[in-house]
Amino acid sequence: MEETSDHPNPTTSTPGTTPEPDPKTTRSSKPGLKRLLITTTVLFSFLSGLPFLWKSVEIYRSQLPFHDIDSLSDQIKSTPLRFPCTFHAVFIGFGSNDPDQLRSEIQDGVNQLTGENSQCGSCNVSISVTVQSPDELCSGTFPSTCSYRCGVIKKDSFGRGLDDEVDESLDDVFGGCSGGIGKMYSVVVVNREKGSDGGDEVRAVVGKRRHAWIVGSGLEERFGDVVGRVSEVFVKVFMNGGREDDSIQGEFMPVGSDGRLVLSFSLLNSNPRDWIYDWDFQRIDEALLAPVTKALAPIADISVESQVLYHTPKSSFSSWDEKLQSYIFRTSDLPFFVNSNEWHLDTSAGASGRSKILQFVVYIPSGKECPLHLQLPNGEISKTNGFISPMWGGVIVWNPRNCDKDSESPSRNTISPQDLEKIVEVFLGQFRQLFGFKSEATYTSGFGSYKILPSERGFTEWELDVLSRKHTCFNLHSCATTLGSLSRLVQSLPRMIIKDEIGEQVKYSLKAAKLAQSNASLGGYSSSASSSREARSLAENAFFHPSIMSVSYFSYEHCFAVYSPFFLPVAGHVVLAALREWKRYKQEKAKYLTWLTRKKTA
Amino acid sequence: MARTVLTWWIPLLILQSFLLAIAFGSNEVEEEFSESLLLKPLPDRKVLAHFHFENRAPPSNSHGRHHHLFPKAISQLVQKFRVKEMELSFTQGRWNHEHWGGFDSLSSMNAKPVGVELWAVFDVPHSQVDTSWKNLTHALSGLFCASINFLESSTSYAAPTWGFGRSADKLRYGSLPREAVCTENLTPWLKLLPCRDKDGISALMNRPSVYRGFYHSQRLHLSMVDSGEEGLGSGMLLEQSLTVVLQPDTVYDGKDLQPSWSLSSLFGRKVVGKCVLAKSSNVYLQMEGLAHQALWKNEEFELSTQPDRILRENSSFLYIFNIDKSSDSEPFDLGLTWKLPSKWSCQQAPLHASRFLMGSGNERGAIAILLKATESQDKLSGRDLTNGGRCTIRANVFQIFPWYVKVYYHTLQIFVDQQQNTSGEVLKKINVSPSTDKMSSGMMEMMLELPCEVKSAAISIEYDKGFLHIDEYPPDANQGFDIPSALISFPDHHASLDFKEELSTLPLLSKFKDKSLVRSYTEVLLVPLTTPDFSMPYNVITITCTVFALYFGSLLNALRRRIGEEERFLKSKGKKTGGLKQLLSRFTAKIRGRPAESPSSESTAAAQSSVLSSKLLFKIILVAGVAATWQYFSTDK
């Protein structure tokens, strides 16, 4: 680059006194700053405009409380939710036992059974013990609000009448008791005199409400057994609902995220040309299912619907068994029983949004495969002739009384009320299983078996307590995982628009979850269940918000394509100009300096 | 996936007490289902098959919850959106009014516009009707695997007041002319039938033969039947019908005989028994314009099966077949064999309607509806249609305009027998609701009163084509936009089959016996709109940005230019180099007419220039040589 001096003003340099300077290496005037200033201001104004541009193309993202979400899920993972429960044991006919010692022994037993890793939705146990001696003197600790009058429970009343009556009378006794915070459960241990009619047998019954009783003779001698049994009733039955470890876990609670559950009953006539069966389901609904749905109302909003479908064969074949004189369908083939092509069970249009639908199907085999029985792996025939599929529902195979086609034209029949009642009983058993309970009326453990009184509502009160504890826990768990995945999703997609609604829903969901936790620790079963339900549904609403599904089309490529035709060439100009001017200024200054030095030396 | 239940049920003792409450059976009216098929040879050598299924639910409070035969999905839809009456039709092909009839119950009910048509009457407060409609369209769209949800937008439906032939203030009407109809719509429709297509008459619906036809319309009509009782819900009546026009496969034998056919030749299947759930299942054969006695075997034609009953109507005979007796071993396969050439014509609507576009270009045009008198009008004019001593035909025109067709209602012109009619004699009543851009579609309802002796009447209306936003164009925008069919109905004309007999046990015939309004749909119009170049925004962005960048760059360069310095620089350069540049500058100077700056030493410059020119010459020769050798070698191979 050949440069010459900017303003070769002959007046500034005194002519004649100094030799004519070489324009390539020296200059006599100070280099001008005008153009350098212009280019640098343009450059800086561009640079200062960049943040504004960046702001203008930025995508609106509502601020999500990521930290709160993380802390909630950590908290739920690390400290399982526990509800306060009061256990009250009454020992009747025990002469020489110290209630405090009994209490500590039961406490030990309970602790041993609950173990280290207490499940979510279990109890924070407080135990009280009352001992009533044979001469009706009482000693021991009482639950705070309960006034158990000594001698109200007579030991003769046990074992004489029906278990239901005993249960009722116990409820009268403990009716006034509410265990302070949380629910109160009581176990009455009755020690009879030896030689009475019961013999040596120990009988344990769990009632429909929150009471259980153990009756036997000579219990004072087998003291360790009794304490073991009492603590077992408390933990295994009242606390865990008689579930086994391998039974359905809380994660599979069949309740929709909006807290609704639709029970869809279908009667499938696999071939109406052989016979047609109809049912009067409306009366069944009113008489038998309404109490169940009412009982479960705190946990789920249940609606029932029914339909009859025709031409619905099952999708796998059965084989004829000579010995059993029936068609046999093996358990291993069960996954191929439900025929999703022909069974148009239809998701209900009445169930809105994210309701859960449980299908209960009564399958009437066609003439070619009648009678049809399900065979267990051990070769026996299933007594219920039905099976469940978790989170989907249950199937019952119902064989007509007479498998012979009597005439040419198909007979139109109605399933008799007796048969229908049996079917509903199996349904209820399946329904209980879907909720994780056992369908048997007994609970067997190491110390013996317990009889469980079934409720006409399908679920006993203590089972409902277990359900609402588990439900709260499950809801909170699901809320935390949903919010967790939402926050991960949002953080992984930086170009996704997040509306304010989502942010608000997340905020309220967190709030409701906090409320549910605090309510649970205070023992408010229904309030914690409802706020946990709200937390879950809000979290799901946020996750499934329609706007979140559409990732913004305004991608980086798009942005680049729109802005580059202007900014690339202009930026080239500006930066190059600024660089050149700066370079030139440095050069000129150097020339000027050399001129100055030369002038000085001269 | 599945788990067995190995266990006992819980012995629920209390249940026993309920047993007494549950009595055997019930004396209530039960849900009823009936199926029927009407076959009719058409004058133009085609055959019409009309499947009709009726499902009736008695008044009950458990609708939407417990059902035996009635489809639960439909019932729940009715309960949820409070539908009072609803009709949904899927149609492919156009009904030929001239040959297939325009004045009978069958055509007035089953001749539908192409694509999807939906109308519904709701039982909700006025403010909620639109919401209900939107939700209903979405629900139906899911139920029938069709894009009915496009009717949700307020630009695609209208609220007719009287022009639709059904006066209800909570009525909404919409149609999608471009919806393709195929098996995926038929399968969910069949799912609503208790026997689906497994058994009974519906088993004839062999998809390839049904969809090979000339016309195919699948219809679902739902209406509520008031129980009249307090506290009891209303009953429901669901009618499903499928109308197909088929061409029997026959070789032309040159004798002008009508083609002979049978069920198996038409559908490729036979009826092997009724749907066991149907209360009645019948096949009807309607023969029009018969000269001979109503025998099932005569010199004109012969039926393969003996009919169970023969009914006589004004101009036709109806053969009724009961398919109860048919079975796997003895399938029902009705056949018709013609022996003599036969000709007849169908009853026509009083006026034949057609619609077309006028004008050219992408800016404006006009829509014209032409009503032409048909032959049947002579017969009809004898009927009691007099109005003040004058014989007139009344015709209602109902038309929806999409908002991008901006209609000028003042340009409405009516021509009667090619004379423009300006007086209010013809146009008795008109109701117009103009469209709002991107908000609502326009609607026009007109009542015309034409003299009976009219030969033709025409309505024309002009419009401007609107511009759509770039986002609003559908895929394949160049195909054009559809204007839904106009509906022409004749409020004074009602079609019915006039039977003497009591027919309440035969649902299809009792339906035909009821009077139905004569109506016909016009063609769908295709309006080409100006379609933009969809890459235009990018082009505009690029060009404007480039212009701006150029302007900015040159401005910046101008700002930092040092003119004096450059001139001196050029001067000093000019001292050194001479030759071509000097020649050039001299040349330019000559052009400008100014004396060139004379170089200091001309001789050296000339010498230099000669040297330069020789160098240049050498270069040119070198390049040419290289090119020649390259050419030589490349062509050599």
Side-chain angles (χ1 to χ4, degrees), chain B residues 357 364-367 405-408 461-465 527:
Chain B
L357 285 177
R364 56 179 65 90
I367 297 173
V405 173
K406 292 172 180 170
V407 178
Y408 296 116
I461 190 161
E462 288 173 22
Y463 65 87
D464 268 4
K465 294 176 184 176
V527 181

Side-chain angles (χ1 to χ4, degrees), chain A residues 35 273 285 306 342 439, chain B residues 7 9 65 68 196 199 561:
Chain A
R35 286 171 174 78
R273 285 190 164 217
D285 180 19
S306 78
E342 305 278 357
S439 57
Chain B
T7 53
W9 62 80
R65 298 182 56 220
H68 303 272
R196 276 138 63 227
D199 215 351
R561 210 163 166 194

